[in-house]
Amino acid sequence: DVKVTQSSRYLVKRTGEKVFLECVQDMDHENMFWYRQDPGLGLRLIYFSYDVKMKEKGDIPEGYSVSREKKERFSLILESASTNQTSMYLCASTLTGSYNEQFFGPGTRLTVL
Amino acid sequence: AQKITQTQPGMFVQEKEAVTLDCTYDTSDPSYGLFWYKQPSSGEMIFLIYQGSYDQQNATEGRYSLNFQKARKSANLVISASQLGDSAMYFCAMREGPGNEKLTFGTGTRLTIIP
């Protein structure tokens, strides 16, 4: 069974804290993605990575950074969390190829107080 | 301009009826793919169905079919014989161009099946 796991389902942090969200996939996928999901806005791409140590900005990268040191792991970092980063964060991965769907993790609901 | 538009924020459908969820898209690339995902209240995103821009036939997967009208740039999801377990958020998404792995999502439709 293919699997994408995320380090936490729920997380509560304080404004200004550094926050790490971890994502691991066991499918040997080249591509990994971080989205945030907000009501009425759908899923918006924050960052993605198409190979180890490679990354590209998505549509809303401001306030976030990422790290991909190993193929199976993709981390999202909030350097200094703010209340407007309270959201659901979803990680996904996919093989390279037009017909391949993205596989999603269960999501992390982050609350910044 | 929105690349993916889902105009129905919410829908209520009687159990066992068929339901159509609307999706229109905007791209100038001749090569693209369209995806539908289901998100139950548990939060996981479940892939349902895929349609490629060059596919000659509409995609089908069990009770799910995709009504692909290329000239109208629409890719509506049809669920036949709806069940209570179909209650969820549904997202349409598009991948544009060869070699591009990114998806652009619509804002979603919340479907509620009424017993």
Side-chain angles (χ1 to χ4, degrees), chain B residues 74-108:
Chain B
S74 84
N76 298 339
L77 177 70
V78 179
I79 306 174
S80 63
S82 58
Q83 302 170 355
L84 295 178
D86 294 333
S87 294
M89 280 291 286
Y90 288 81
F91 291 98
C92 179
M94 177 173 65
R95 175 186 285 149
E96 295 177 85
N100 174 25
E101 307 301 332
K102 294 184 291 182
L103 288 180
T104 301
F105 284 83
T107 53

Side-chain angles (χ1 to χ4, degrees), chain A residues 9 33 37 40 42 45 48 95-102 104, chain B residues 35 37 39 42-43 45 47 50 91 95 101-103 105-107:
Chain A
R9 289 301 303 268
F33 307 83
Q37 181 181 2
L45 182 64
F48 74 101
L95 279 171
T96 297
S98 301
Y99 302 100
N100 297 310
E101 74 269 28
Q102 291 187 8
F104 282 81
Chain B
F35 299 78
Y37 282 85
Q39 186 181 44
S42 56
M45 293 283 284
F47 165 71
Y50 169 82
F91 291 98
R95 175 186 285 149
E101 307 301 332
K102 294 184 291 182
L103 288 180
F105 284 83
T107 53

Side-chain angles (χ1 to χ4, degrees), chain A residues 10-11 17 19 21 24 29-30 56 60 73 81 85 100:
Chain A
Y10 300 94
L11 210 52
E17 280 192 73
V19 182
L21 302 183
V24 177
H29 286 171
E30 303 93 344
E56 280 196 27
I60 50 164
R73 188 179 297 268
Q85 293 178 309
N100 297 310

